[in-house]
């Protein structure tokens, strides 16, 4: 805590867990870890170590967020199928005492539980000697934990402020759906720059390609922000951060420093518009709206969203190619998925001017002429600015017709394509 | 006459004046010239010489076109006001015997008469020693006449064919309204290339910047076709030829050589469309039509048309600037003048996306943000592709409103502006 203004102090009072809340978390974590060790012993599972990782282990969790990440580590010599079997076994045994639970399959399978109001992940991993020797991505987490715990002391409050600021500004969360800042990334930024405000101040001068090398890297990265992972120089901790979220963070940092206020830490609570208000707004804007709805494919978010974004991009390109100009599009996913696109124009003239090569470029222009001059579809054929022009009918003069006919030729991603 | 195919022979039979027609022209010209000399003598006007110039003097006139250009030349020592006085005097005296007449004021005043079915121009000029010493542009004409008469012998029929081909192809006439080939230019082309067909063959390989130097020029010209005037190396005979007519000529030359037919020498006689057909065509094309009508300013064509074209260009630019896309526009002038513009879209969405600088370009993007974020007109403000975007209402969402409001801010030319 280098410097903190009155607003930040006030915010901190609200988001910092009370002693009572902390004790409850610590007790819950201790209990689960002890039980995990007991289960391992009872089942004669060899070489098990249990540890708490993540924000709960680092004092960087925001009051009210009750996530516990408990990692069960095994010796690297253990075969993978055994690791999965033991990991799920311990998870299932713990689940007996939980309110609800499920098994998830990422790189390894792991177990999610609800336990006394906490969201608990029980994750099996290999206990490798160093970060260079990791077998799967989750093996890196304990090293992250170690690094942050070593460097974060005294800066926890700054991390809380930064996380809350990022959440309210809608740039927090590294899932592909959001493309924002991860918790680990926010911690590294505070460690690197030294305080909440220093991170914001630095961000006001960021440009795409901004690179923070807490250790040197030989690798060259392409992402808007590069933060070399201090425990693995080949990895960019900010790899998932999109240009959108990157610039949004620059923008809100600048705004906050010019006019600090508590609202920057409060989530926006937009009042939903009534149907009438929505219709009225479209009337005022004189725009068109098309939507593509379909059953949400049954897959995890980190596969679904990239496919939805891919679809969004290729449908936009299709529309633009046919002269329908997109104002803004958005994807939504719940039980149903939806791509909505606001268009400048829903329908177009039936004529498009197709320009040929300049008349003096002999062969090409003769070919063009032969192709179009006697084509029964050609409305008119003439010379403009020294080039042949054929006025041709459009294949699609209404956006709906275009989408209905051409959607299947768009790059949609496997799952989305199947669902549509 | 190097080579001529059956079609060309056939065409020539129709367009070549008969001996009887020739005799009538020669007799009329001789009579008028003799009378001009007599009038000069009667009025004691000193140093007058009378000569016939133009196509009638060169045997390059098409049957049915009855133009006589009679030049009255004076000694260069004669003061300008005297030249004008004497010129008009001779004109007026000749006019006594004419069917109708008028006085026109170009660089010098001259007299136009209808005489036994001929359109006669009586033009005063200075009889200078050489083309370098001309006092006004008309003084050049006798030198052109001399040059062509010397070189055209034996090629007259080729000139007739070329002129007829250019007329039918709508590229003949060097007035600014047309921007096509002048008679003198067509004669030079035949002299240079050697025959009608050779001109066409050459044209199929023309590119903008094509230069024909019958004498060397030190001047560098910018026009699509450069034909250095053999009697004045600083002048491009094709200066008035537009890129449109230039490429049109390339195009019809190519077409004719691929498929020679008499239709290339016949003027198109388009069948006028009925009102219903016109409406039907717009319905099919789903386009919009706007027209600007006004009383034709009282000025000569060579001043009027450049102003109309200027208006056409600047109105097109105005429309495009406001996202109304022009398919084709056309100017017309009679008693009323009219600019018609076919548009892809008569009305637009009320929203336009105004992109600011990238967010990381600090000062500029902050300025942009401050300007638009709290502007009550701004529909939405957000970040896209790393740039700030303000969604603003359009000032004009209908082409008619735009034109009514902004036409006076267009570059229109003095006379047109006053008339509108």
């Amino acid at each position: 805590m280098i410097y903190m203004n009155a607003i930040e102090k006030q915010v901190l009072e609200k988001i910092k867990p009370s002693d009572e809340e902390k004790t409850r978390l610590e007790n819950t974590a201790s209990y689960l870890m002890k039980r995990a060790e007991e289960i391992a012993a009872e089942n004669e599972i060899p070489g098990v170590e249990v540890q708490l990782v993540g924000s709960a282990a680092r004092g960087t969790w925001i009051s009210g967020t009750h996530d516990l990440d408990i990692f069960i580590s095994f010796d690297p010599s253990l075969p993978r199928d055994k690791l999965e079997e033991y990991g799920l076994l311990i998870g299932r045994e713990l689940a007996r005492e939980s309110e609800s639970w499920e098994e998830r399959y990422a790189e390894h399978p792991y177990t999610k539980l609800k336990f006394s109001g906490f969201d608990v992940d029980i994750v099996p991993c290999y206990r490798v000697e160093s970060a260079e020797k990791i077998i799967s991505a989750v093996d890196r987490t304990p090293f992250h934990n170690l690094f942050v715990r070593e460097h974060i002391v005294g800066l926890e409050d700054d991390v809380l402020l930064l996380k809350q600021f990022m959440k309210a500004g809608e740039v927090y969360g590294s899932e592909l759906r959001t493309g924002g800042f991860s918790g680990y990334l926010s911690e590294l930024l505070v460690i690197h720059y030294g305080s909440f405000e220093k991170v914001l101040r630095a961000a006001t001068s960021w440009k795409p390609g901004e690179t923070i090398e807490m250790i040197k890297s030989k690798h060259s990265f392409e992402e808007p922000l590069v933060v070399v992972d201090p425990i693995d120089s080949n990895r960019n901790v900010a790899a998932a951060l999109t240009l959108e979220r990157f610039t949004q963070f620059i923008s809100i940092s600048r705004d906050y420093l010019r006019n600090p206020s508590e609202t920057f830490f409060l989530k926006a609570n937009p009042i939903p518009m009534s149907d009438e208000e929505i219709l009225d707004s479209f009337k005022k804007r004189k725009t068109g709206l098309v939507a593509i709805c379909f059953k949400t494919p049954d897959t995890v978010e980190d596969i679904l969203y990239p496919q939805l974004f891919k679809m969004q991009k290729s449908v936009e390109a299709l529309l633009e190619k046919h002269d329908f100009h997109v104002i803004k599009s958005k994807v939504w996913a719940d039980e149903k998925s939806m791509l909505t696109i606001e268009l400048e124009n829903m329908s177009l003239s039936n004529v498009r001017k197709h320009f040929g090569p300049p008349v003096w470029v002999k062969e090409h222009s003769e070919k063009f002429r032969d192709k179009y001059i006697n084509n029964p579809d050609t409305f008119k054929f003439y010379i403009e600015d020294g080039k042949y022009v054929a006025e041709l009918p459009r294949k699609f003069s209404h956006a709906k017709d275009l989408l209905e006919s051409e959607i299947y030729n768009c790059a949609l991603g496997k799952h989305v394509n199947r669902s549509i």
Side-chain angles (χ1 to χ4, degrees), chain A residues 128-131 134 139-148 231:
Chain A
V128 294
E129 263 169 62
S130 69
I134 61 163
D139 304 341
R140 211 183 270 119
T141 305
F143 292 97
H144 287 166
N145 203 49
L146 212 64
F147 181 88
V148 175
I231 64 126

Side-chain angles (χ1 to χ4, degrees), chain A residues 244-263:
Chain A
E244 224 77 73
R245 299 293 162 262
F246 172 75
T247 45
Q248 209 170 327
F249 182 66
I250 297 173
S251 180
I252 56 175
S253 295
R254 217 186 266 153
D255 297 348
Y256 176 74
L257 293 172
R258 291 210 298 178
N259 277 307
S261 108
E262 210 185 330
T263 54

Side-chain angles (χ1 to χ4, degrees), chain A residues 175-178 292 294-316 329-333 337-340 407 410-420:
Chain A
E175 330 78 80
L176 296 179
R177 169 188 185 161
T178 313
I292 302 172
F294 51 98
K295 199 179 153 297
T296 300
D298 188 17
T299 180
V300 297
E301 283 202 346
D302 270 7
I303 292 176
L304 174 64
Y305 275 91
Q307 290 194 10
L308 292 176
F309 294 145
K310 189 179 181 185
M311 169 190 188
Q312 182 179 25
K313 264 208 157 37
S314 65
V315 170
E316 278 196 11
S329 71
K330 216 176 151 86
V331 291
W332 318 78
S337 290
M338 186 151 76
L339 167 62
T340 59
I407 183 83
C410 286
L412 294 176
K414 204 173 70 178
H415 296 82
V416 166
N417 191 38
R418 219 181 290 146
S419 176
I420 283 189

Side-chain angles (χ1 to χ4, degrees), chain A residues 145-157:
Chain A
N145 203 49
L146 212 64
F147 181 88
V148 175
R149 286 184 67 147
E150 231 172 72
H151 295 86
I152 205 71
V153 182
L155 296 171
E156 292 88 346
D157 289 354

